[in-house]
Amino acid sequence: MDIILKYFPDLTPEQQDKFSKLKPIYEEWNEKINVISRKDMEYFYEKHVLHSLGIAKVIEFKPGTKILDIGTGGGFPGIPLAILFPETHFHLVDSIGKKITVVKDVARQLKLTNVEAQQTRAEDLVRRYDFIISRAVTRFANFLPWVKGKFKREDFNEFQNGILLLKGGDVDEEMEERDLSYVSYHLEDYFKEEFFETKKVVYVPWEGKR
């Protein structure tokens, strides 16, 4: 927990309580199914929670924002962001049922009323969102068809509605496979741990004409 407070010192007592409960809940689930790699559990708050919160260093979502987390797995980045932004609605989807079972239980135990978890494929959704987030699910060229037609036209956040991806390594080659503008934010500018040296948040503004 210390590493979260180091970078987010203004958490309310309720938020601190929810973050502190995250690891025991995931440890309990990991005994049943392999939600998070066993070797990663030791660095749970750094590699999963803080990494997810990297998006919050780039943008602060306004109340009422609707966000879709595609391929959420065990709930990342959606769950940590939902704790941080309690007035923002998060729709977490994954095609693997047992992972969504975990996400639903985490949301229930933490009383995260702003989280909706669903087993489905992103391309089958018909709702529209302000932002779509994801953590290294697939190459951007594969990801792009999943999100077409899923953005609201009206912008009310600081950023234009669009995609926020957590990526590692050299993202330029991958991103430039498609002729879309994007901005890379280096997480090493925000977090000092070695893990973040190659990690980035990639923002792709979505223009209505596309």
Side-chain angles (χ1 to χ4, degrees), residues 35 39 49 96 104 106 112 129 147 177 197 204:
V35 189
K39 64 180 186 337
V49 182
I96 300 173
K104 285 181 176 178
V106 173
L112 294 175
Y129 305 85
V147 303
E177 289 177 354
E197 285 179 3
V204 184

Side-chain angles (χ1 to χ4, degrees), residues 9-204:
D10 299 327
L11 294 176
T12 66
E14 184 181 4
Q15 287 172 319
Q16 291 183 42
D17 180 59
K18 287 177 177 177
F19 277 122
S20 69
K21 287 175 176 172
L22 269 184
K23 189 177 182 185
I25 294 173
Y26 279 102
E27 283 176 334
E28 189 178 332
W29 268 107
N30 248 24
E31 294 297 318
K32 303 169 192 170
I33 58 174
N34 193 22
V35 189
I36 289 169
S37 124
R38 300 281 197 282
K39 64 180 186 337
D40 271 4
M41 279 309 293
E42 186 182 344
Y43 302 100
F44 174 77
Y45 282 103
E46 178 182 334
K47 292 187 175 182
H48 294 281
V49 182
L50 192 60
H51 188 208
S52 297
L53 295 177
I55 289 173
K57 288 295 185 183
V58 172
I59 179 173
E60 185 170 340
F61 298 119
K62 290 189 176 177
T65 301
K66 295 199 181 316
I67 294 173
L68 172 65
D69 178 0
I70 292 180
T72 190
F76 301 96
I79 291 285
L81 289 168
I83 296 173
L84 196 66
F85 297 108
E87 294 180 32
T88 293
H89 183 269
F90 290 85
H91 187 187
L92 278 54
V93 302
D94 201 284
S95 60
I96 300 173
K98 63 184 181 181
K99 292 184 176 178
I100 288 300
T101 299
V102 174
V103 175
K104 285 181 176 178
D105 186 63
V106 173
R108 180 189 62 80
Q109 290 199 51
L110 296 182
K111 297 181 172 62
L112 294 175
T113 56
N114 60 332
V115 170
E116 175 187 357
Q118 181 182 3
Q119 180 188 358
T120 186
R121 295 188 179 279
E123 52 266 44
D124 294 335
L125 294 169
V126 295
R127 265 188 259 173
R128 291 175 181 262
Y129 305 85
D130 299 296
F131 293 95
I132 293 178
I133 61 175
S134 194
R135 184 167 76 150
V137 171
T138 184
R139 284 185 76 83
F140 184 62
N142 301 330
F143 187 83
L144 211 48
W146 300 348
V147 303
K148 285 188 175 172
K150 291 186 173 57
F151 291 95
K152 294 186 173 187
R153 291 191 176 275
E154 313 77 26
D155 307 310
F156 71 95
N157 279 272
E158 177 190 354
F159 285 19
Q160 184 178 330
N161 292 353
I163 305 167
L164 291 155
L165 301 171
L166 287 164
K167 291 274 187 185
D170 181 10
V171 299
D172 292 332
E173 181 192 355
E174 174 184 344
M175 297 304 295
E176 286 166 8
E177 289 177 354
R178 291 292 177 268
D179 185 24
L180 295 177
S181 59
Y182 69 96
V183 183
S184 293
Y185 296 87
H186 296 250
L187 288 181
E188 64 180 346
D189 293 340
Y190 307 99
F191 306 139
K192 300 308 173 195
E193 286 70 23
E194 186 180 342
F195 173 73
F196 296 103
E197 285 179 3
T198 61
K199 300 291 187 284
K200 300 173 182 71
V201 174
V202 181
Y203 165 60
V204 184

